[in-house]
């Protein structure tokens, strides 16, 4: 764009100008930096110095970068804290939208390389692969999102399927990392590719999807109330074509998260030996279900169609 200058970041004066601006706003009170297309500065030493200067100003500042693909180069602990985790977004589309994903969703950020239909077991494999890319400290702060100002809204990609959107946010808010809700998703705003994904927020409350909003509020309340969802480990303990169940564990707390992508009720038989659950009844914290652990097995769990528990 002619209106945007191209900085020569090999020039010491230019580097100092950018680093001093980065420091200034952190010292002023900003909580961190979200970096747009940072890979266009193809210079590890630049971002290492950027990090040093920002963290000196505030060790708790958050540096999150717009990298659409695997980002091991930048997530070694010496450059960025996290990326916008579009890989998880793509996996959730594959799981919940499957072969109905519209062609336009493949055209942004190299998504054609990662978007494909997934069953629940394949989705579990993808999530474990993503978690294996980085150190646990990185995974704990990855910015997990469904859509953004650059991508069509998940609700539109899903063809208006609100249940798909609910299950996607159910996963994000029970998964490792920092969940991000794009404005308007909580009331059912739709929007195709740019610029439709950036349209104004609708302030007419009579048009809002209040059931969806309340569902998200309940999920946020759940996450804030359970340390295991914010700080715990992740371990898949069951998956088949339709159902994935994983455990979040922190100190003495163990939470099981179950997602049924099918339209029909499922009753999986779940082995719990890997996570050490004692015999007894499980308490439902979210959703409708009851279950009992006996001799490291759960045989009486029933999960309603297109629901999370």
């Amino acid at each position: 764009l002619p209106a945007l200058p191209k900085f020569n970041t090999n020039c010491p004066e230019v580097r100092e100008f950018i680093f001093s601006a980065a420091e200034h706003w952190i010292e002023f009170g900003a909580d961190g930096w979200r970096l747009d297309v940072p890979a266009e500065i193809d210079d590890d030493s630049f971002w290492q110095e950027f990090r040093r200067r920002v963290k000196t100003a505030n060790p708790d500042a958050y540096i999150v970068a717009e990298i659409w693909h695997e980002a091991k180069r930048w997530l070694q602990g010496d450059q960025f804290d996290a990326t916008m985790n579009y890989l998880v977004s793509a996996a959730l589309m594959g799981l919940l939208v499957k072969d109905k994903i519209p062609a336009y969703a493949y055209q942004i950020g190299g998504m054609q390389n990662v978007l494909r239909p997934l069953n629940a077991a394949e989705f579990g494999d993808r999530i474990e692969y993503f978690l294996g890319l980085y150190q646990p400290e990185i995974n704990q702060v990855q910015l997990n999102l469904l859509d953004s100002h650059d991508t069509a809204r998940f609700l539109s990609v899903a063809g208006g399927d609100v249940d798909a959107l609910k299950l996607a946010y159910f996963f994000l808010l029970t998964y490792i990392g920092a969940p991000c809700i794009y404005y308007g998703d909580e009331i059912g705003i739709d929007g195709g590719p740019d610029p439709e994904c950036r349209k104004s927020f609708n302030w007419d409350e009579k048009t809002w999807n209040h059931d969806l909003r309340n569902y998200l509020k309940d999920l946020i309340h759940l996450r804030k109330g359970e340390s295991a969802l914010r700080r715990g480990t992740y371990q898949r303990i069951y998956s088949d074509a339709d159902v994935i169940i994983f455990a979040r564990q922190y100190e003495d707390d163990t939470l099981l998260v179950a997602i049924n992508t099918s339209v029909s009720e499922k009753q999986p038989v779940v082995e719990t030996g890997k996570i050490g659950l004692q015999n007894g009844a499980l308490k439902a914290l979210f959703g409708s279900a009851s279950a009992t652990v006996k001799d490291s097995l759960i045989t009486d769990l029933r999960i309603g169609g297109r629901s999370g528990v």
Side-chain angles (χ1 to χ4, degrees):
L1 293 175
L4 293 178
K6 178 70 173 177
F7 290 124
N8 176 9
T9 53
N10 292 320
C11 172
E13 290 85 355
V14 171
R15 293 167 84 97
E16 181 56 34
F17 174 79
I18 296 173
F19 297 150
S20 62
E23 288 176 313
H24 168 80
W25 291 107
I26 297 299
E27 291 169 350
F28 186 81
D31 290 318
W33 285 100
R34 181 266 181 188
L35 301 167
D36 198 74
V37 292
E40 294 202 8
I41 299 180
D42 186 14
D43 180 350
D44 292 342
S45 67
F46 178 92
W47 292 118
Q48 289 162 349
E49 179 64 8
F50 180 94
R51 179 185 183 87
R52 190 188 68 78
R53 299 279 286 266
V54 167
K55 295 291 187 176
T56 297
N58 177 7
D60 291 329
Y62 183 51
I63 305 173
V64 58
E66 182 198 24
I67 305 286
W68 290 74
H69 44 78
E70 294 179 13
K72 286 189 284 189
R73 170 182 173 183
W74 297 277
L75 295 179
Q76 298 292 325
D78 62 345
Q79 297 186 54
F80 310 139
D81 294 317
T83 62
M84 298 177 71
N85 202 356
Y86 283 111
L87 293 177
V88 167
S89 324
L92 283 165
M93 288 181 193
L95 175 69
L96 298 169
V97 187
K98 298 192 184 299
D99 57 359
K100 296 180 181 178
I101 300 172
Y104 61 68
Y106 291 81
Q107 297 166 0
I108 296 180
M111 284 295 190
Q112 64 271 16
N113 297 322
V114 294
L115 266 178
R116 62 177 183 272
L118 300 171
N119 65 32
E122 292 167 335
F123 173 80
D125 291 342
R126 291 294 288 165
I127 292 301
E128 289 178 1
Y129 172 73
F130 298 151
L131 290 175
L133 291 173
Y134 314 116
Q135 293 298 314
E137 296 83 359
I138 298 291
N139 291 325
Q140 287 283 359
V141 297
Q142 282 281 63
L143 185 67
N144 300 323
L145 69 167
L146 294 184
D147 44 41
S148 74
H149 62 288
D150 283 325
T151 64
R153 288 183 181 266
F154 193 95
L155 185 59
S156 293
V157 172
D161 184 349
V162 175
D163 287 336
L165 181 65
K166 282 183 173 181
L167 281 180
Y169 271 120
F170 177 82
F171 178 81
L172 281 196
L173 284 154
T174 56
Y175 179 57
I176 283 179
C180 175
I181 300 174
Y182 187 46
Y183 79 94
D185 278 6
E186 74 279 8
I187 60 168
I189 287 182
D190 59 4
D194 193 0
E196 288 301 308
C197 54
R198 307 183 188 216
K199 63 187 178 184
S200 299
F201 187 87
N202 180 3
W203 292 104
D204 182 359
E205 294 188 24
K206 295 190 295 292
T207 67
W208 292 3
N209 184 329
H210 289 280
D211 174 69
L212 174 61
R213 182 167 177 261
N214 288 332
Y215 183 87
L216 281 173
K217 288 173 69 175
D218 289 344
L219 277 175
I220 293 167
H221 180 75
L222 173 70
R223 186 179 181 90
K224 286 186 173 181
E226 299 295 334
S227 297
L229 294 181
R230 291 179 282 110
R231 302 175 183 272
T233 58
Y234 169 98
Q235 185 175 7
R236 175 174 46 161
I237 62 170
Y238 178 91
S239 62
D240 60 18
D242 299 312
V243 175
I244 181 169
I245 302 174
F246 55 91
R248 301 295 311 277
Q249 292 184 294
Y250 181 71
E251 295 181 343
D252 295 330
D253 284 334
T254 297
L255 274 67
L256 299 187
V257 180
I259 297 174
N260 177 13
T261 65
S262 168
V263 296
S264 58
E265 181 184 86
K266 297 294 179 180
Q267 188 175 359
V269 175
V270 184
E271 295 184 9
T272 67
K274 291 190 293 185
I275 56 173
L277 286 183
Q278 297 179 347
N279 288 347
L282 297 177
K283 176 184 177 182
L285 298 178
F286 187 93
S288 299
S290 61
T292 306
V293 180
K294 183 177 181 181
D295 299 329
S296 298
L297 278 180
I298 300 173
T299 59
D300 59 345
L301 173 62
R302 297 180 182 273
I303 314 167
R306 300 292 274 180
S307 71
V309 179

